[in-house]
Amino acid sequence: MQKLVQGIHRFQSEQFSKDQKLFETLVDGQHPLALFITCSDSRIDPNRLTQTKPGELFIQRTAGNIVPPYGSILGGEAATIEYAVAALKVRDIIICGHSHCGAMAGLLTPEMVESMPAVKAYLQHAEATRRIVEENYTHLTDPAKRLTLTVEENVLVQLESLRTHPAVAAAIGRGDLKLHGWVYKFETGDVFAFDPDQNQFLPLQDVTSPVSEKQRTLPPI
């Protein structure tokens, strides 16, 4: 706790004064560039990763960057998505998974979360991810590669779930919203984006088409 308190003091004495004009403009409201949905994992810093300033990202964090289908839970996830699209008029939504995801490891190994009933129940919203991996990739036995594949598949599954939200579906239909699937490898700093033309995750700089423009099938392994 002391480290956090010291950090607040440094922010107030150093960072705030340096960017005071920026912070003062935030009083007038927010106009974020995108909604960034990612995992609650402490190893991910969305603003640092994207080099964005306060006010530029609307951020939603959930275990395993899971987006429950609309109507299954009318809670914080649905409210955040609806507000971002309907009120803030974001033009892009990014779902960003990450390497070594504990939630996805728990999805593959249910006994890991057996003593955590809330986590176990929440992971049911990624059941499609588990079934895709279990039934279509039986040949992939290496644990590390299997986890990486699960992380990637889960991003795509959650994008499908995102489309069930009425505000999202309507905005996509109008051409006002694009969806993007990313995977962040935090140990190297690499970011991979799903390319619907190649049907696989590629380095972000090589991808131009958002996921929402095309339907996808299982990526090759």
Side-chain angles (χ1 to χ4, degrees):
M1 192 64 194
Q2 186 60 30
K3 181 178 177 64
L4 304 185
V5 173
Q6 291 173 345
I8 292 291
H9 290 324
R10 285 198 304 274
F11 167 74
Q12 293 172 333
S13 62
E14 300 171 15
Q15 195 66 44
F16 185 84
S17 58
K18 178 182 175 182
D19 294 323
Q20 185 170 349
K21 289 185 179 180
L22 167 63
F23 290 113
E24 288 174 350
T25 64
L26 301 180
V27 174
D28 299 326
Q30 58 175 322
H31 306 283
L33 303 172
L35 168 59
F36 195 93
I37 301 174
T38 193
C39 188
S40 304
D41 196 296
S42 62
R43 295 167 291 185
I44 301 174
D45 184 340
N47 292 110
R48 191 169 186 178
L49 175 63
T50 59
Q51 293 295 285
T52 47
K53 298 177 181 179
E56 292 184 330
L57 274 189
F58 202 60
I59 300 171
Q60 174 173 295
R61 305 190 70 148
T62 65
N65 41 271
I66 287 173
V67 178
Y70 188 79
S72 60
I73 301 177
L74 287 181
E77 300 93 340
T80 298
I81 293 165
E82 186 174 71
Y83 189 79
V85 176
L88 299 178
K89 308 297 184 185
V90 297
R91 304 284 298 183
D92 296 275
I93 299 180
I94 300 147
I95 295 185
C96 184
H98 67 94
S99 58
H100 309 283
C101 181
M104 293 301 99
L107 187 68
L108 293 176
T109 314
E111 56 268 26
M112 288 177 57
V113 297
E114 194 60 42
S115 63
M116 295 178 277
V119 174
K120 181 179 178 180
Y122 198 71
L123 288 178
Q124 286 298 309
H125 297 297
E127 174 61 16
T129 302
R130 190 192 67 78
R131 290 284 294 271
I132 288 170
V133 174
E134 182 180 278
E135 297 184 14
N136 297 296
Y137 296 100
T138 55
H139 60 285
L140 193 64
T141 57
D142 178 84
K145 291 181 179 179
R146 197 170 179 82
L147 179 57
T148 297
L149 171 69
T150 304
V151 168
E152 293 179 349
E153 278 295 339
N154 188 59
V155 167
L156 301 180
V157 165
Q158 301 311 320
L159 283 168
E160 294 300 323
S161 182
L162 183 60
R163 290 188 180 92
T164 68
H165 290 249
V168 172
I172 291 175
R174 293 191 304 271
D176 291 341
L177 182 66
K178 294 180 179 178
L179 308 184
H180 311 265
W182 291 4
V183 171
Y184 169 48
K185 191 174 182 180
F186 62 73
E187 63 269 39
T188 65
D190 292 319
V191 176
F192 300 88
F194 184 73
D195 186 333
D197 293 320
Q198 300 294 320
N199 196 38
Q200 60 184 314
F201 282 86
L202 300 174
L204 180 61
Q205 62 271 21
D206 297 336
V207 177
T208 57
S209 300
V211 178
S212 54
E213 289 186 1
K214 293 193 176 187
Q215 295 297 320
R216 63 103 182 178
T217 55
L218 294 175
I221 295 297

